[in-house]
């Protein structure tokens, strides 16, 4: 008995220590971010760099692969459910693809939480210069864009971004703005790795015999995303995380430019598809990977509601009322981030219908089976992007429907909490014959 009491005491102390360590880690991370914002606000800069968004003329290394811009990138109309079982087809302008290049660069400095890098005293960033300060939110809290004249801009790097880490050998960067978000990582960063793996397999197989290969990700990329990386890559590699106050010096960097523009416009009066659209080619790369990760192809039968935790954005204010309705229809209520990637894949493959507030969990539409339905509870705002999950739904042949949430609390921003009209949701279920077919 004394030994058992001693063991229980050790276990309790260990758990308390882990809780304290996690609390300390979050405090330190918040402090780093606060120092960066302070430096930007008080104009405390370490250095300024001329900004360019074209790779040519920077004295860079060789181009290893180019994906032509002339590729199919059609966007099908989004479906918005209306009263009386009517569906509004919401159309947008069709977007042309942009050229994607994979280049080999030597002696490059990467900035944390940025799709850019520094070479020869120039800061290259693919879309930083596309930002309209009256329309878009800042691209990166660690870099501030300064207007010099009509043709030139400078990137200002805060003093608190001072820690330099050295990466010998070959580094593949999967770091960009918002890459710590599950959705943004899967559809903006992962396609870069999939394209590199597909087109440069021989290059990396040969290089890995003599040089270390590092895949660099943001410090806060969810652990679940590592499963995608491990399933994607056939050569030997190590994964390293870059903290928000760090700069990475890479001996050799394999850089893949983005597949599409991703500009933040969460507080403007109207949405433009040119600000943020998902590339069809990138989505199909992820779909191919998703098919290779499929675990169970039995007939889908589950009804799933994707719940949100207290403190998360875009919560449903009348959640209890809506959940009562969902339970009547035999929906399983789950928190997606509590499941591993294999478990999430199995859940979405088993679903005949998925319902939830617009959020990163809908990245998993790509794992749903053909002919199933996904219902996104989207804010009724003129700036809502109803096509953010459309390419994934089309690739998986999923019927994607948006049900607009109510503006009872004078919602102005995409991430505000909202209210669901449960009678409208019930009407949608009736039009889908959910009660008749599945409950």
């Amino acid at each position: 008995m004394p030994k058992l009491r001693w063991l229980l005491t050790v276990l309790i102390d260990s758990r308390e220590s882990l809780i304290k360590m996690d609390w300390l880690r979050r405090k330190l991370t918040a402090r780093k971010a606060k120092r960066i914002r302070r430096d930007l606000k008080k104009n405390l800069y370490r250095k300024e760099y001329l900004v360019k968004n074209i790779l040519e003329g920077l004295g860079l290394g060789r181009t290893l692969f180019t994906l032509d811009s002339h590729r199919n990138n059609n966007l099908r109309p989004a479906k918005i459910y209306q009263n009386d079982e009517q569906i509004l087809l919401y159309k947008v302008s069709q977007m042309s693809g942009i050229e994607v290049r994979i280049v080999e660069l030597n002696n490059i400095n990467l900035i944390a939480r940025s799709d850019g890098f520094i070479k020869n005293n120039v800061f290259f960033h693919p879309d930083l210069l596309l930002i309209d300060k009256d329309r878009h939110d800042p691209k990166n809290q660690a870099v501030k864009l300064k207007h010099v004249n009509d043709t030139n801009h400078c990137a200002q790097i805060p003093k608190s971004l001072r820690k330099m880490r050295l990466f010998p050998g070959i580094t593949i960067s999967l770091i960009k703005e918002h890459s710590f978000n599950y959705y943004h990582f899967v559809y903006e960063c992962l396609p870069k790795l999939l394209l590199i793996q597909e087109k440069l397999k021989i290059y990396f197989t040969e290089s890995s015999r003599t040089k270390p290969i590092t895949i660099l990700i943001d410090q806060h990329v969810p652990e679940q995303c590592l499963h995608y990386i491990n399933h994607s890559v056939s050569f030997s590699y190590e994964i390293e995380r870059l903290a928000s106050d760090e700069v990475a010096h890479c001996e050799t960097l394999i850089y893949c430019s983005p597949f599409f523009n991703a500009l933040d416009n969460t507080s403007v009066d109207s949405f433009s598809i040119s600000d943020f659209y998902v590339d069809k080619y990138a989505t199909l790369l992820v779909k191919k990977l998703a098919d290779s990760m499929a675990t169970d192809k039995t007939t889908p039968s589950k009804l799933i509601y994707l719940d949100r935790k207290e403190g998360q954005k875009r919560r449903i204010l009348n959640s209890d009322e809506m959940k009562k309705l969902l339970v009547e229809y035999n929906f399983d209520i789950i928190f997606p981030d509590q499941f591993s990637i294999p478990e999430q894949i199995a859940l979405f493959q088993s679903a005949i219908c998925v319902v939830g507030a617009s959020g990163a969990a809908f990245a998993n539409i790509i794992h749903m089976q053909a002919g199933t339905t996904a219902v996104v509870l989207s804010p009724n705002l003129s700036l809502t992007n109803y096509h953010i999950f459309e390419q994934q739904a089309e690739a998986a042949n999923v019927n994607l429907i948006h049900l607009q949430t109510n503006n009872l609390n004078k919602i102005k921003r995409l991430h505000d909490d909202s209210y669901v009209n449960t009678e409208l949701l019930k009407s949608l279920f009736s039009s889908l014959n959910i009660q008749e077919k599945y409950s």
Side-chain angles (χ1 to χ4, degrees), residues 139-350:
K139 188 68 178 175
N140 187 334
Q141 67 171 16
V143 176
K144 187 173 183 180
L145 191 65
K146 174 186 175 182
H147 178 80
V148 178
N149 52 46
D150 291 341
T151 57
N152 292 318
H153 292 76
C154 282
Q156 298 174 315
I157 311 299
K159 284 186 176 181
S160 50
L161 201 68
R162 59 169 65 92
K163 186 176 178 181
M164 178 76 74
R165 289 178 61 188
L166 304 179
F167 291 91
I170 298 173
T171 302
I172 301 171
S173 175
L174 299 184
I175 291 178
K176 71 183 304 294
E177 294 76 13
H178 306 303
S179 63
F180 48 85
N181 173 278
Y182 178 69
Y183 173 88
H184 290 283
F185 182 88
V186 172
Y187 293 103
E188 296 177 41
C189 302
L190 184 61
K192 295 183 178 185
L193 181 63
L194 295 173
L195 186 67
I196 288 171
Q197 162 68 25
E198 180 181 282
K199 303 301 181 182
L200 303 178
K201 187 174 181 179
I202 296 176
Y203 171 94
F204 281 101
T205 301
E206 293 176 350
S207 298
S208 63
R209 295 170 185 161
T210 57
K211 297 180 180 179
I213 297 178
T214 301
I215 297 177
L216 198 58
I217 63 175
D218 186 88
Q219 179 184 16
H220 299 294
V221 166
E223 284 295 321
Q224 292 97 321
C225 294
L226 303 190
H227 190 84
Y228 284 112
I229 295 176
N230 294 332
H231 204 90
S232 305
V233 179
S234 61
F235 48 83
S236 299
Y237 65 94
E238 295 290 334
I239 294 177
E240 292 287 344
R241 293 177 178 269
L242 195 67
S244 58
D245 64 340
E246 291 182 325
V247 176
H249 180 80
C250 306
E251 179 184 357
T252 300
L253 174 68
I254 302 301
Y255 175 81
C256 181
S257 62
F259 285 80
F260 57 95
N261 298 328
L263 303 175
D264 298 327
N265 57 353
T266 59
S267 57
V268 293
D269 293 333
S270 61
F271 172 77
S272 171
I273 193 64
S274 61
D275 290 338
F276 190 101
Y277 64 94
V278 182
D279 184 80
K280 187 181 293 289
Y281 189 99
T283 305
L284 292 176
L285 286 174
V286 178
K287 173 59 177 170
K288 183 178 178 180
L289 175 66
D291 289 344
S292 72
M293 299 170 73
T295 55
D296 185 9
K297 283 292 185 179
T298 56
T299 302
S301 59
K302 290 185 177 181
L303 301 170
I304 295 175
Y305 173 64
L306 308 175
D307 205 352
R308 300 182 74 78
K309 294 179 179 178
E310 191 72 29
Q312 281 188 290
K313 298 176 180 178
R314 297 185 300 278
R315 290 185 304 114
I316 305 302
L317 294 171
N318 60 327
S319 178
D320 291 343
E321 177 190 357
M322 188 179 67
K323 286 179 186 178
K324 183 179 179 181
L325 173 66
L326 293 170
V327 168
E328 291 176 3
Y329 281 85
N330 288 334
F331 272 79
D332 292 332
I333 299 175
I334 68 166
F335 294 94
D337 58 353
Q338 293 180 351
F339 295 85
S340 67
I341 287 299
E343 291 170 336
Q344 289 189 43
I345 292 173
L347 275 171
F348 278 80
Q349 285 178 343
S350 69

Side-chain angles (χ1 to χ4, degrees), residues 24 38 62 94 157 179 234 239 270 330 388 394 430 439:
L24 181 60
R38 176 206 64 197
R62 55 179 177 149
Q94 296 302 308
I157 311 299
S179 63
S234 61
I239 294 177
S270 61
N330 288 334
I388 193 169
E394 183 177 0
S430 176
S439 62

